[in-house]
Amino acid sequence: MSTLSYDASGAAQQAIEQHVPALVEDRIATRIFAKDHTLWGPDAESESAVRLGWVDAATVSRSLVEGILELRDALRAEGVSRIVLCGMGGSSLAPEVIAGTAGVELTVLDSTDPEQLGAALTDRLAQTAIVVSSKSGSTVETDSQRRVFEQAFTLAGIDAKSRIIIVTDPGSPLDKASREAGYRAVFNADPNVGGRFSALTAFGLVPSGLAGVDIQAFLDEAEEAAEILNEDSPENIGLRLGAALGGTTPLRNKILIVEDGSGIVGFADWAEQLIAESTGKLGTGVLPVVAGPSAPEVSSGADDVLVIRLVGADSDVELGENEAAIAGGLATQMFLWEFATSVAGRLLGINPFDQPDVEAAKIAARGLLDARPEPTPAAFTDGAIEVRGGDWLRGAATAEEAVGALLGTLDDDSYLSVQAYFDRIAYAGFEGVRDELARLSGRPVTFGWGPRFLHSTGQFHKGGPAIGSFLQVTASANGDIAIPERPFTFGQLITAQAAGDAQVLENHGRPVLRLHLTDRGAGVAQLQDIIAALAGQTSPLES
């Protein structure tokens, strides 16, 4: 196992000194590993009783390894060299990090954007097998992706059943239907593990193992991490990180997760879902913000921000004020952050294992798909950008003025969330607006690709403190893709998902600026220019 280390300063260290002695005295570490479902209060007991399987997942999952490796070898012998993962949220984020860190190819399809889907469908289809991952078996995005790939295989003269692998909970609708359909393989995950805690279950291991990751070594490392964390000691790094996440006084509810030489690819994106969906409820929680070491928030000195650096084992990091640094291998870090998040939930007084507000956007999207209403008229159109927003627009007549008006809704406790509903692969560079908006606004900024963030930070946006302002960017696609045996297309689905989420956020009284790019390429360039132009002006919080 790689070395696990932790250092802290300022508010993070004070939280450790304040809370860790009581956590040790109450035997929180060993009680978590004993699956004590009473740790999070009476209201959480029923959910916690069926969500603590993650504590021994590294051991339980060993029985999966042989079957995964046998299937990998069989597929390779048949000329299958490309694995596509159809999954959302916890079903996709962990495998993406595991494969990326191991340096093996895994195509993660966690979008309903027609252009991103089209690119995945047309890339080496003859050498492709898909892993369809859904805990419930009813995830609309994943079901739609499976349907269109199955059709594509058949049309190409490929036996579709031989190219489809399923990961789901035992007894789910997908489990039953897949076995009846005769798909290549069906792997069942532990039903007592929630999606965002499932990295060490079949959801993390099947796609990663089929792609070529050494999953046996991955589990070996995780088992060693469990031994370290299962100790009621003041030196328990899991208790210390949990105290820093959920125990600062007053609560620093923006956690800046900074990749600073850890060598783990995309870890902060995985941790973002884990923390936001676990803690953002009942009007409280901590918001993870994924950023680089030179992000404006790192040096802002804001009293609601805590910086946690992900560093390498041999890094000599000089901590700034109110910072922490953690080093460790991928499996170690995943187990550590799962453990620490559950500790933070106890300190925050919430149930870290439910997600009561995630369903709201899904319901709204389904309603819009059924009703198919005409789009809300744009307030105005500026070049390739249609602008929609609330009364706070205050007579804005250009897209630049609209973005400025949204920034004007921020105060010294707010955050801005950018939500981009289009191809995250082809337009990966658009994420660069995050740093510019953070510099411009003087506040923490999150960036999420839709619809995948709906299964991640979406819980915090609706269930956490009502302090967010939202910039939603949608884009017209060059063509659309029908979904077999469904009365809607992928274009209609992603449109409904964006509109449904905006509707729920607005119903919560939050300002949502909706920018629709009528021409994808031109609109992205125009919006980037607008934000760059605004960046030269005075911060709304300083005006």
Side-chain angles (χ1 to χ4, degrees):
M1 187 187 78
S2 61
T3 302
L4 178 62
S5 64
Y6 180 84
D7 194 13
S9 69
Q13 181 61 29
Q14 292 165 14
I16 291 168
E17 295 170 356
Q18 179 182 353
H19 294 290
V20 168
L23 293 170
V24 172
E25 183 178 354
D26 292 339
R27 299 182 298 107
I28 298 304
T30 53
R31 288 170 67 189
I32 287 175
F33 277 89
K35 302 181 182 179
D36 184 346
H37 63 285
T38 68
L39 288 172
W40 297 275
D43 291 344
E45 287 187 13
S46 61
E47 184 78 18
S48 300
V50 294
R51 287 291 177 263
L52 288 169
W54 57 272
V55 302
D56 54 13
T59 300
V60 171
S61 295
R62 287 192 178 278
S63 62
L64 296 169
V65 173
E66 183 178 358
I68 295 170
L69 298 184
E70 287 180 354
L71 177 58
R72 181 194 66 192
D73 293 343
L75 288 170
R76 288 178 175 178
E78 296 166 16
V80 174
S81 57
R82 175 175 178 257
I83 300 296
V84 175
L85 171 58
C86 302
M88 303 297 295
S91 298
S92 64
L93 287 164
E96 185 170 52
V97 176
I98 296 168
T101 301
V104 303
E105 181 187 12
L106 175 65
T107 299
V108 176
L109 185 58
D110 53 0
S111 178
T112 50
D113 177 70
E115 291 192 15
Q116 186 173 336
L117 182 73
L121 278 170
T122 55
D123 180 13
R124 295 169 288 163
L125 186 66
Q127 289 81 48
T128 295
I130 66 170
V131 177
V132 179
S133 289
S134 173
K135 182 173 177 63
S136 68
S138 59
T139 308
V140 64
E141 299 97 330
T142 306
D143 175 72
S144 299
Q145 293 158 354
R146 176 193 61 78
R147 289 172 181 274
V148 75
F149 262 99
E150 188 164 11
Q151 179 185 67
F153 284 137
T154 301
L155 291 175
I158 300 168
D159 177 13
K161 294 177 182 178
S162 71
R163 299 294 184 91
I164 299 176
I165 298 104
I166 305 295
V167 183
T168 189
D169 277 1
S172 74
L174 180 60
D175 184 34
K176 183 175 183 294
S178 299
R179 295 183 190 278
E180 292 176 351
Y183 292 148
R184 180 65 174 265
V186 179
F187 291 91
N188 287 144
D190 185 345
N192 293 321
V193 181
R196 57 190 176 276
F197 287 81
S198 66
L200 299 169
T201 74
F203 287 107
L205 299 175
V206 172
S208 304
L210 294 179
V213 174
D214 184 348
I215 54 176
Q216 184 68 63
F218 183 73
L219 291 177
D220 289 344
E221 181 185 321
E223 280 196 329
E224 292 184 37
E227 292 177 7
I228 293 174
L229 296 171
N230 189 7
E231 183 178 354
D232 294 313
S233 163
E235 302 307 313
N236 186 322
I237 292 178
L239 297 178
R240 295 165 74 85
L241 176 58
L245 289 174
T248 51
T249 306
L251 182 64
R252 290 177 175 262
N253 62 3
K254 321 297 189 308
I255 306 295
L256 201 67
I257 305 177
V258 176
E259 166 51 43
D260 200 6
S262 73
I264 302 175
V265 178
F267 183 85
D269 293 308
W270 173 82
E272 179 183 45
Q273 183 206 14
L274 175 69
I275 298 167
E277 201 167 68
S278 296
T279 71
K281 57 201 71 171
L282 301 179
T284 188
V286 290
L287 176 70
V289 180
V290 177
S294 61
E297 298 97 322
V298 172
S299 57
S300 70
D303 60 11
D304 58 343
V305 170
L306 187 73
V307 176
I308 299 182
R309 298 178 182 271
L310 306 173
V311 300
D314 299 324
S315 298
D316 184 15
V317 177
E318 183 176 343
L319 292 181
E321 189 176 359
N322 304 310
E323 292 192 0
I326 302 177
L330 174 55
T332 303
Q333 288 271 30
M334 284 181 155
F335 210 134
L336 167 66
W337 284 75
E338 289 175 352
F339 179 91
T341 298
S342 67
V343 172
R346 177 178 169 87
L347 295 176
L348 291 165
I350 52 90
N351 174 7
F353 306 114
D354 67 350
Q355 49 281 331
D357 299 286
V358 168
E359 191 65 22
K362 296 180 184 179
I363 293 171
R366 284 196 292 267
L368 291 170
L369 277 173
D370 291 340
R372 306 279 177 84
E374 290 296 318
T376 303
F380 58 88
T381 299
D382 178 1
I385 302 177
E386 294 178 349
V387 178
R388 295 170 175 83
D391 294 340
W392 49 268
L393 275 175
R394 295 193 294 270
T398 66
E400 181 174 327
E401 291 174 355
V403 173
L406 180 69
L407 296 175
T409 66
L410 299 169
D411 59 32
D412 58 8
D413 188 40
S414 298
Y415 69 92
L416 176 66
S417 175
V418 182
Q419 301 168 349
Y421 285 82
F422 51 95
D423 188 342
R424 72 178 179 92
I425 307 301
Y427 290 91
F430 184 65
E431 290 189 50
V433 302
R434 197 216 72 84
D435 276 9
E436 291 190 74
L437 288 167
R439 191 174 298 110
L440 170 62
S441 67
R443 297 305 302 148
V445 177
T446 69
F447 186 102
W449 290 101
R452 81 177 199 165
F453 81 87
L454 295 174
H455 300 257
S456 176
T457 52
Q459 169 61 41
F460 183 96
H461 297 325
K462 302 170 189 69
I467 53 176
S469 295
F470 300 89
L471 174 59
Q472 183 189 93
V473 186
T474 58
S476 296
N478 183 20
D480 202 351
I481 298 176
I483 302 171
E485 300 179 7
R486 286 291 179 263
F488 50 84
T489 66
F490 277 97
Q492 291 167 334
L493 175 56
I494 197 169
T495 296
Q497 289 175 308
D501 192 51
Q503 181 183 99
V504 173
L505 290 169
E506 289 169 341
N507 290 343
H508 278 71
R510 305 314 304 153
V512 182
L513 175 61
R514 301 178 62 192
L515 303 181
H516 180 70
L517 313 181
T518 56
D519 180 298
R520 188 169 293 202
V524 166
Q526 182 183 348
L527 184 52
Q528 288 173 319
D529 289 344
I530 285 170
I531 293 171
L534 283 168
Q537 301 178 16
T538 303
S539 165
L541 298 186
E542 297 174 354
S543 59

